[in-house]
Amino acid sequence: MSMLSLRSHIPDDVIAAADSLPGQADVVVIGGGIIGAAAAFHLAGAGLRTVLLEADKISSQQSGRNWGFVRTQYRDPLELPLAVEALSLWPELERELEAPVGWRPTGCVFVAATQKEMAAFAGWHEKTRSIACDARLLSAREVTDLLPSLRGKTEGALYTATDGQAEPALATLAFGRAAARRGAHIIEDCGALAIETTAGAVSGVQTEHGLIRCNTVVCAAGAQSYRLLAPLGLSLPQQSVRSTVSLTAPLPPLSEACFCGFGIGLRQRADGSCIIAADSSSDIDLSFDSFRAARFFLPGLLRHGSGFSLRLGRPFVDDLHQRLAVPDRERAIARRPRIPANRKLAARTGAAVRDLFAGAASIEIVKSWAGRIDVLPDALPVLDAPVEIGGLVVATGFSGHGFGLAPAVGRHVARLATGEAPAAILAPLKLDRFARGTYSAPHAPL
């Protein structure tokens, strides 16, 4: 396999589909991204008969397509305690999972191109210094010392040396394989149609291949979560945006730390290749679903409209076809078409990197891809066991932040699923905050 391969589009035989569907389990996890895989790992470790369902392949969606940042830096203060917990777990993850995950403590730096950006970093630093203990502000001179190849004039930066990076597909697959070794039943190409309940409590999961009876379900289905929760009377104002990412050929050292600034995000990998993307710039592929829960998202869209590109095309046609031809409850398992990268945006991002770093004159984009990020109005996830449905745990809506959080999220999911009281740090992440109107505006643009 090429050294440049991210393994982000996983071969079919990585985790083979089960020969038969188990009729009974203690817990069914819906969703084979890193959140679901981490949850299955910890649930199986707790001795529960665990089934992990994935409508496609493990790590085939956003968990295998993200930037690979593992950061505490500039997190929403409400999410920060979970990020700090997760960061403490990453250094031991390869030993625990018995597999490489690509973890490297390379740090993270957010560079301020304007005084306004620097003021925002300073405000965050002042508010969070008691928990984000390793974060510090850098002067313009210190930025030059840290990033000698950076050409852009800066006002300073926010820097956390103990943050790091990992390889998205490697880490997700490592959790999935480790869960299987602990006895979890991993079933790919098997979507969940509905969560069944009896007398207000979970009683099973109806899949496209049959029913699995269980008393506990973890809904970690990413952008499809709202479809599974709505029939239970649970409203999740969830939308998705399309984010384009590119891989470059190896370059001279540009930034050891994961880098954000001047409109780009960059992660330089161990072989010198770089993951690059436009920071806070996403495509919204309009469909009928775009208008669902629009009132929750319209204020943010109006405030940060320059960061989004509204597109009317194939997704609208596909959505119309599904509404006319596919029964509503089967739409959750409709096979996802290939997600097209925004090639123009990828080219602009490559040019921006070339202009920003002295060592990037020979930049060559090897490949580009896109993923769909499921977002919630406050850009915070739901990590909750809602009281309305006994035996249900919801872990979704990570809004592009879930990769780095996953090691901690998996532990909390297992605790919730086994009946433990939720940790205090999960209080801001309850599902009912949207119905109650107690959520706030996003800490940073979605």
Side-chain angles (χ1 to χ4, degrees), residues 70-73 83-84 86-91 103-109 131-136 159-165 257-258:
V70 177
R71 65 178 175 91
T72 57
Q73 179 166 288
V84 170
L87 184 63
S88 73
L89 302 175
W90 274 98
W103 162 252
R104 293 194 297 139
T106 54
C108 185
V109 61
I131 184 168
C133 303
D134 296 327
R136 62 190 183 97
Y159 175 57
T160 305
T162 49
D163 283 354
Q165 60 174 278
C258 295

Side-chain angles (χ1 to χ4, degrees), residues 220-245:
Q224 295 298 324
S225 296
Y226 76 93
R227 295 187 191 277
L228 294 165
L229 298 179
L232 305 180
L234 300 175
S235 177
L236 182 70
Q238 185 179 43
Q239 291 288 355
S240 66
V241 298
R242 176 164 52 100
S243 176
T244 293
V245 184

Side-chain angles (χ1 to χ4, degrees), residues 75-391:
R75 292 270 190 178
D76 190 309
L78 298 177
E79 187 180 68
L80 182 57
L82 191 62
V84 170
E85 179 185 341
L87 184 63
S88 73
L89 302 175
W90 274 98
E92 294 299 316
L93 211 55
E94 292 191 344
R95 179 193 59 78
E96 186 177 15
L97 301 181
E98 301 178 25
V101 299
W103 162 252
R104 293 194 297 139
T106 54
C108 185
V109 61
F110 284 12
V111 173
T114 66
Q115 291 183 354
K116 182 179 179 181
E117 287 180 329
M118 194 63 198
F121 295 156
W124 179 88
H125 184 252
E126 179 62 28
K127 183 184 298 184
T128 63
R129 63 169 68 235
S130 64
I131 184 168
C133 303
D134 296 327
R136 62 190 183 97
L137 298 173
L138 302 183
S139 66
R141 170 59 68 88
E142 289 173 315
V143 173
T144 299
D145 292 340
L146 181 69
L147 302 168
S149 67
L150 184 67
R151 286 173 167 157
K153 180 182 181 297
T154 78
E155 297 292 334
L158 182 65
Y159 175 57
T160 305
T162 49
D163 283 354
Q165 60 174 278
E167 294 299 336
L170 282 181
T172 305
L173 287 168
F175 268 117
R177 289 171 173 146
R181 287 196 301 272
R182 286 183 164 185
H185 203 152
I186 311 293
I187 307 178
E188 296 180 319
D189 298 310
C190 182
L193 291 171
I195 299 170
E196 302 285 347
T197 61
T198 302
V202 166
S203 57
V205 175
Q206 186 67 50
T207 80
E208 59 183 305
H209 300 306
L211 176 68
I212 304 175
R213 299 191 182 280
C214 62
N215 294 322
T216 305
V217 166
V218 176
C219 182
Q224 295 298 324
S225 296
Y226 76 93
R227 295 187 191 277
L228 294 165
L229 298 179
L232 305 180
L234 300 175
S235 177
L236 182 70
Q238 185 179 43
Q239 291 288 355
S240 66
V241 298
R242 176 164 52 100
S243 176
T244 293
V245 184
S246 299
L247 169 71
T248 76
L251 290 165
L254 303 183
S255 174
E256 180 182 45
C258 295
F259 173 96
C260 275
F262 298 91
I264 67 162
L266 179 147
R267 175 173 70 88
Q268 191 153 29
R269 303 168 71 228
D271 67 354
S273 63
C274 294
I275 301 297
I276 62 172
D279 183 29
S280 298
S281 181
S282 301
D283 294 315
I284 298 177
D285 295 312
L286 292 172
S287 67
F288 289 98
D289 263 345
S290 301
F291 302 99
R292 179 185 47 80
R295 66 184 179 88
F296 289 94
F297 292 92
L298 190 57
L301 186 62
L302 293 175
R303 281 197 304 270
H304 305 291
S306 62
F308 300 98
S309 176
L310 300 177
R311 296 179 176 274
L312 182 63
R314 182 59 184 268
F316 184 88
V317 175
D318 289 342
D319 187 33
L320 178 61
H321 169 74
Q322 285 192 17
R323 288 173 183 273
L324 294 175
V326 179
D328 188 58
R329 96 177 202 156
E330 293 183 14
R331 292 181 62 210
I333 62 166
R335 290 295 179 258
R336 303 176 179 95
R338 186 183 66 85
I339 304 171
N342 185 328
R343 300 291 175 181
K344 291 182 179 179
L345 180 60
R348 290 199 302 269
T349 304
V353 172
R354 181 193 62 221
D355 295 341
L356 189 58
F357 290 96
S362 61
I363 189 170
E364 174 192 351
I365 292 180
V366 175
K367 58 182 177 180
S368 299
W369 60 90
R372 296 208 180 275
I373 299 174
D374 62 311
V375 297
L376 293 179
D378 53 4
L380 289 171
V382 169
L383 185 49
D384 188 22
V387 297
E388 295 89 339
I389 306 294

